[in-house]
Amino acid sequence: MAWWMALLLVLAPWLPGVHTCLFCFGPAIQRTRLCQDITGAPVSDPRHRQCLEALVQAAVPLASVTVGSKQREALREIIMDALHFLEQQKNMKPFEVSLQEAVNIIWAKLSQLEEAPACVPPCGYQPAARVFQCATCRLVDCHFPLDCPVQDVWAHAGEAITLRCDVPFDTPSDLPVTWMFAKDLRTQDLAVFDELQESVEGPLSLTLQEPIPGTVACCLGVLSEPLVRKYFYLNVSGGGVEAEQGLQAQFGAVLRWPEGRTPLHHMASLGLGLALGFMALVLLLL
Ligand SMILES: *[C@@H]1O[C@H](CO)[C@@H](O)[C@H](O)[C@H]1NC(C)=O
């Protein structure tokens, strides 16, 4: 325990809050023992302190290193090998020399590790892009919100439109997709969306036969742990909309409703507004 404390006391003034890969793995006692081995001096000896400081300094450039989270174990092995190398070299050459060699070997091996894909802005949880960061000795994720900005989609009433919930980064395959709709609103407030159970076409796309104004949202992944949520505001122009909007104000608009634009094939939630209009039309004709 005393070694630990001594080491922390030695290191703290040097690099406040900054670790380097050399100190992310293995117990501190290991480094202390390493310096004891190399110097042959007790911990209280200034040479011991110098050894630790040399280790810290040699490792400073490594603080900038990040590796893909899947490479964390490989990185650990590289570092442990380097420390082992130092121990083996202790009676063969000056410590500074073997230390530089060890760091060079680390860099050479690091360059062979596979890089994690970069974070793709501006949204989504991107598990493949997660990295292990030497500066903090931690796994770090992209700092993006789950919610993507609302995209404006211009559509014509009566003309089918297909929305896609795919994303420009790697995701686990076979994720569930949930489609939702908020009629008339341009919003990201999940509380005002209705879930669309039916009419999910492919795994990642939704085709609306007769788009009506409002925001369609898709949620990729299980609802409790989504990877991303995309929002499409449908800006619908054309007769169908005018007819639907006119319907509320005046029945005259309903009579000019274009032929063949019945809402029979609509999904329940999406078509609700139009369906009501259709019922009104039927009543009117009766
Ligand atoms: C819909 O699009 C038109 C034409 O680009 C635009 O003038 C209008 O402001 C848009 N409506 C909304 C609610 O964004």
Side-chain angles (χ1 to χ4, degrees):
M1 276 306 135
W3 309 125
W4 253 101
M5 304 283 278
L7 186 71
L8 287 177
L9 286 175
V10 169
L11 296 189
W14 269 81
L15 291 165
V18 178
H19 303 260
T20 77
C21 284
L22 276 191
F23 305 99
C24 290
F25 308 102
I29 187 92
Q30 193 175 357
R31 268 101 63 185
T32 307
R33 234 184 260 132
L34 176 67
C35 279
Q36 261 182 306
D37 270 7
I38 287 165
T39 59
V43 174
S44 53
D45 192 287
R47 276 173 298 164
H48 186 85
R49 192 198 149 106
Q50 278 160 16
C51 168
L52 284 175
E53 286 176 355
L55 270 181
V56 171
Q57 260 209 320
V60 164
L62 292 169
S64 64
V65 168
T66 60
V67 298
S69 62
K70 287 190 191 127
Q71 306 287 328
R72 186 182 184 278
E73 194 48 34
L75 176 64
R76 199 188 73 83
E77 268 169 36
I78 290 172
I79 299 300
M80 297 320 261
D81 283 354
L83 295 179
H84 189 62
F85 170 83
L86 282 178
E87 213 157 336
Q88 284 177 328
Q89 301 280 310
K90 68 180 174 191
N91 293 323
M92 298 185 198
K93 47 186 87 158
F95 180 56
E96 286 70 25
V97 175
S98 49
L99 189 53
Q100 194 49 54
E101 277 176 24
V103 170
N104 291 346
I105 294 170
I106 291 175
W107 280 118
K109 287 183 180 172
L110 280 177
S111 67
Q112 315 208 327
L113 292 186
E114 218 174 282
E115 272 182 57
C119 295
V120 184
C123 52
Y125 169 60
Q126 303 176 23
R130 170 181 280 197
V131 294
F132 179 81
Q133 196 177 56
C134 282
T136 57
C137 297
R138 277 168 203 234
L139 292 168
V140 179
D141 283 302
C142 313
H143 294 291
F144 297 138
L146 293 182
D147 291 302
C148 298
V150 180
Q151 282 174 254
D152 285 292
V153 176
W154 282 268
H156 282 280
E159 276 175 31
I161 187 166
T162 299
L163 304 172
R164 300 192 52 85
C165 200
D166 49 3
V167 285
F169 51 85
D170 278 348
T171 59
S173 51
D174 298 329
L175 286 173
V177 185
T178 309
W179 291 91
M180 296 165 284
F181 185 64
K183 191 170 176 291
D184 291 330
L185 301 169
R186 191 183 193 281
T187 182
Q188 290 186 296
D189 179 0
L190 287 173
V192 301
F193 281 89
D194 290 318
E195 220 172 283
L196 302 175
Q197 301 279 349
E198 299 153 71
S199 87
V200 171
E201 211 177 56
L204 285 180
S205 71
L206 174 76
T207 297
L208 304 171
Q209 293 304 332
E210 292 199 33
I212 60 171
T215 307
V216 176
C218 70
C219 174
L220 188 58
V222 289
L223 283 177
S224 55
E225 269 176 55
L227 265 72
V228 67
R229 284 187 292 254
K230 290 173 73 173
Y231 299 85
F232 309 90
Y233 175 70
L234 303 182
N235 187 329
V236 183
S237 60
V241 185
E242 280 144 32
E244 193 223 353
Q245 285 168 347
L247 174 74
Q248 282 138 28
Q250 56 196 85
F251 280 111
V254 177
L255 295 171
R256 290 197 301 275
W257 196 308
E259 287 285 343
R261 222 165 257 173
T262 65
L264 290 176
H265 305 297
H266 286 181
M267 297 160 279
S269 314
L270 253 189
L272 188 61
L274 289 173
L276 288 173
F278 187 63
M279 278 163 55
L281 175 67
V282 169
L283 288 175
L284 207 69
L285 294 176
L286 285 175

